[in-house]
Amino acid sequence: MYSVIRYHDISCGHRVYGHESKCAHLHGHNYRIHFECTAKGLDALGRVIDFSCIKAMLCEWLETNWDHRMLIWDEDPCLPFLKKHDSAVVSVSFNPTAENIAWYLVEVVGPEQLDGTGVTLRSCTVQETAKCSAKYTKGDL
């Protein structure tokens, strides 16, 4: 199995509903998101996938959907108020921890964006700060 990794930076806000400390408040991060793409073989040029394709399919998805937005879990009681007053609020089906963001990118966004390419988004690392990151790796391929 071959793999390639490309990262992309976005600025995004969130709140972790139910968190026992500061992360329960609305706040944001300059996220660095690492995409690891795999394939069983290489293309005719000897690549898993061209890095510009990762940019077009995954990095641009981040730019369009999450950059400079506020991710709020659809079960968060603050969601209706926030959506009413700010069009940049994005309702997500998960509590937006770094772990859940990584899972969502691998299990939902990756398959949608890479469909038909023969490439799989194998793992994603979501770095919230220089010291703190979470990684999700797809199970059986």
Side-chain angles (χ1 to χ4, degrees):
M1 176 97 40
Y2 294 92
S3 70
V4 295
I5 299 169
R6 180 180 176 125
Y7 73 82
H8 190 71
D9 297 331
I10 61 168
S11 297
C12 186
H14 72 148
R15 138 181 156 105
V16 180
Y17 177 64
H19 193 279
E20 64 279 357
S21 188
K22 293 188 230 179
C23 292
H25 305 293
L26 296 172
H27 66 286
H29 299 282
N30 291 316
Y31 286 101
R32 175 159 285 174
I33 299 174
H34 298 260
F35 296 111
E36 180 186 12
C37 296
T38 61
K40 294 186 180 186
L42 302 177
D43 69 11
L45 297 176
R47 306 168 300 185
V48 169
I49 187 172
D50 188 78
F51 289 110
S52 67
C53 292
I54 297 171
K55 178 182 178 186
M57 295 175 181
L58 298 172
C59 300
E60 289 301 324
W61 187 94
L62 288 173
E63 287 289 323
T64 301
N65 294 282
W66 287 358
D67 188 47
H68 285 80
R69 308 285 175 115
M70 179 66 66
L71 304 182
I72 303 293
W73 185 22
D74 57 19
E75 295 184 24
D76 188 321
C78 290
L79 178 64
F81 174 82
L82 293 169
K83 281 193 77 89
K84 180 179 179 182
H85 296 284
D86 191 340
S87 63
V89 173
V90 176
S91 174
V92 292
S93 61
F94 53 88
N95 207 1
T97 62
E99 294 87 344
N100 285 337
I101 290 169
W103 170 86
Y104 185 81
L105 291 169
V106 170
E107 295 292 347
V108 178
V109 175
E112 289 173 359
Q113 296 301 303
L114 296 170
D115 185 44
T117 65
V119 174
T120 299
L121 180 56
R122 169 80 167 146
S123 72
C124 185
T125 301
V126 175
Q127 186 177 357
E128 286 190 345
T129 70
K131 297 178 192 177
C132 302
S133 62
K135 180 177 183 178
Y136 175 81
T137 302
K138 194 175 202 61
D140 299 310
L141 289 179

